[in-house]
Amino acid sequence: MTNTTNTARRAGAAPAFPVYLTAAVLARTADEGARVALVMLATQRAGSPALGGALVAALMIPHVAAAPVAGALADSVRRRRLFHGGAVTLYGAALAALAVLVGRVYDLAALLLAVAAGCVAPLLTGGLTGLLGEFLSKEQLTRAFSADAVSYNLAGICGPAVAAALGTAVGAGTALAALGAGAMTGGMLLFSLRLRPRAGGREPAGRLQPTELLRGAAELARNHRLRSVTWASSVGQLGVGALPVVTVLLATKYHASWATGGLMTAFAAGALAGSLSYAYRPVGQRHPERVVLWGLLITGVPLAMVPLTRHAVPAAVLFAMAGFCTGPLFSALLASRERYAPAAVRTQIFTLGAGLKSTFAAAGAAAAGALSGLGAAALLRGTAACQVVAAVLGLALLAGHRPAPADPETDPAQALPHASDRRAP
């Protein structure tokens, strides 16, 4: 039996992953659903949709701003399961507190609490994904990343749906509290993960140096594979971020009110199916960055065809096809970060990458809103063009690099064995 298998078994890989996946789904569902529940709560209790929008912004902006700090702390802390479990638990507690306080205390106090929760949020996305390499073997990671991508897809579908359903049935405060309780449950599950404490050689979290915050960004700048997939996937998100605005315009064009939410649901369902199919039969495991670039290119094809449709149903099919292409793309993106990021800054790479994608998606939504007067067809062509431009950019960043001699510190893809295999049994 190989050393990899022995190490994975001793690290508890088999029981750990279902626990991790359950915790990730609960935490990410709470994160997605909170954005809907906060708007509903501010409207129902305070009569102020504007406050709801401000609360969502307060929750979302730190996803980007806090990503370097959150990632650096996660990479430096020794007791990782306590750190990640505590972070997710605190996020859930903050949501539960907001469920009680919004509309009953000064708005500034609620906004500050939402900002505090947002500072923890990067650890629910890229931060959690960065843990997979700590308890799974190299052979298990490709399917694990596909399953992790499914958790994002499920959260994107279930979070807003749960928030809207509970908010309508029993009140938005109860809905937000339920989401917070789910996140706290996920945090408790993370406490049970059997992650080996880090040995010495890294600064403890309490003595984090300013230079530590720049290491992940510096690695993204000099590592050509990470640079390629990071910027390509981020540029692609410019188009994806515009889709919610586009669906509103399409619903008007087709005279189908259900299309506003239905088209995005079709896109999310397609992404879920794509992630599941890639988990069942992964391809391109040796070069996941190529899967990312091909996925971007192919995603643009069905989106470019939507303007040719005259009814909402064919448009929904094309949205589902586009979403299906993003499933393998996202799984391969996670695999690329794991494979090519040095262990010392791996979590920073995951949190920074997630933050950049969120930023570009928000910029795409803002641009689509500003340009909505151009019409749905023009915006869809622009969305499709973003995927093509992203793929070309990623290819250019890859092609412009000449391979250097293998160095485990700067090019982990050339370092054997895998980081999870190097731990002492």
Side-chain angles (χ1 to χ4, degrees):
M1 184 174 291
T2 66
N3 181 59
T4 296
T5 305
N6 286 332
T7 302
R9 288 183 176 178
R10 289 171 184 167
F17 185 65
V19 171
Y20 163 88
L21 199 60
T22 302
V25 169
L26 289 170
R28 290 164 182 165
T29 297
D31 188 36
E32 294 283 347
R35 304 168 198 178
V36 175
L38 282 171
V39 176
M40 294 182 69
L41 179 59
T43 303
Q44 291 178 3
R45 188 181 291 168
S48 176
L51 173 60
L55 286 167
V56 172
L59 187 68
M60 290 297 297
I61 290 174
H63 276 61
V64 180
V69 179
L73 286 171
D75 281 324
S76 65
V77 73
R78 189 166 185 265
R79 301 287 179 178
R80 289 160 292 169
R81 66 176 177 178
L82 298 181
F83 178 78
H84 287 273
V88 174
T89 302
L90 285 174
Y91 184 83
L95 294 186
L98 284 168
V100 176
L101 298 177
V102 170
R104 295 172 177 162
V105 299
Y106 289 113
D107 292 349
L108 180 60
L111 289 169
L112 290 175
L113 181 56
V115 169
C119 290
V120 180
L123 296 171
L124 278 65
T125 53
L128 285 182
T129 302
L131 287 177
L132 289 175
E134 303 292 343
F135 61 88
L136 294 177
S137 68
K138 180 180 179 181
E139 291 75 14
Q140 294 171 307
L141 279 175
T142 297
R143 284 190 167 87
F145 283 127
S146 296
D148 196 48
V150 169
S151 76
Y152 285 94
N153 301 143
L154 284 174
I157 296 172
C158 297
V162 168
L166 286 179
T168 302
V170 295
T174 302
L176 189 59
L179 291 169
M184 286 189 283
T185 302
M188 296 299 177
L189 288 173
L190 291 174
F191 287 136
S192 68
L193 286 181
R194 297 171 59 187
L195 302 175
R196 294 173 63 88
R198 281 194 177 95
R202 293 277 293 153
E203 293 289 340
R207 287 162 42 204
L208 186 66
Q209 301 298 314
T211 54
E212 295 290 296
L213 305 180
L214 303 176
R215 292 187 65 189
E219 186 64 28
L220 282 177
R222 66 171 171 257
N223 186 315
H224 72 289
R225 296 187 183 92
L226 287 175
R227 185 171 63 241
S228 172
V229 298
T230 298
W231 289 108
S233 60
S234 296
V235 171
Q237 283 297 301
L238 277 173
V240 174
L243 289 180
V245 176
V246 172
T247 58
V248 174
L249 299 177
L250 288 175
T252 302
K253 172 187 174 182
Y254 298 135
H255 304 288
S257 58
W258 65 267
T260 300
L263 293 177
M264 289 307 301
T265 300
F267 187 88
L272 174 60
S275 296
L276 289 171
S277 66
Y278 192 73
Y280 177 73
R281 189 180 293 275
V283 297
Q285 297 182 56
R286 290 178 59 85
H287 297 284
E289 68 276 13
R290 297 178 184 176
V291 178
V292 173
L293 302 185
W294 276 110
L296 286 166
L297 193 62
I298 297 172
T299 299
V301 175
L303 291 176
M305 296 173 63
V306 174
L308 303 178
T309 62
R310 297 183 178 180
H311 301 284
V313 173
V317 173
L318 290 170
F319 266 73
M321 291 172 63
F324 185 89
C325 297
T326 67
L329 185 164
F330 187 47
S331 301
L333 175 62
L334 299 180
S336 298
R337 291 173 182 164
E338 166 65 27
R339 176 177 293 233
Y340 302 130
V345 293
R346 181 169 294 128
T347 308
Q348 279 192 68
I349 297 298
F350 274 99
T351 56
L352 281 168
L356 282 170
K357 287 186 66 180
S358 297
T359 301
F360 274 76
L371 299 173
S372 59
L374 297 177
L379 291 181
L380 276 167
R381 294 188 185 99
T383 297
C386 282
Q387 312 311 306
V388 177
V389 170
V392 172
L393 172 63
L395 181 61
L397 291 174
L398 276 180
H401 174 82
R402 291 186 177 183
D407 182 349
E409 291 297 322
T410 59
D411 193 358
Q414 305 298 331
L416 294 176
H418 184 263
S420 61
D421 304 332
R422 292 196 297 268
R423 293 192 296 267

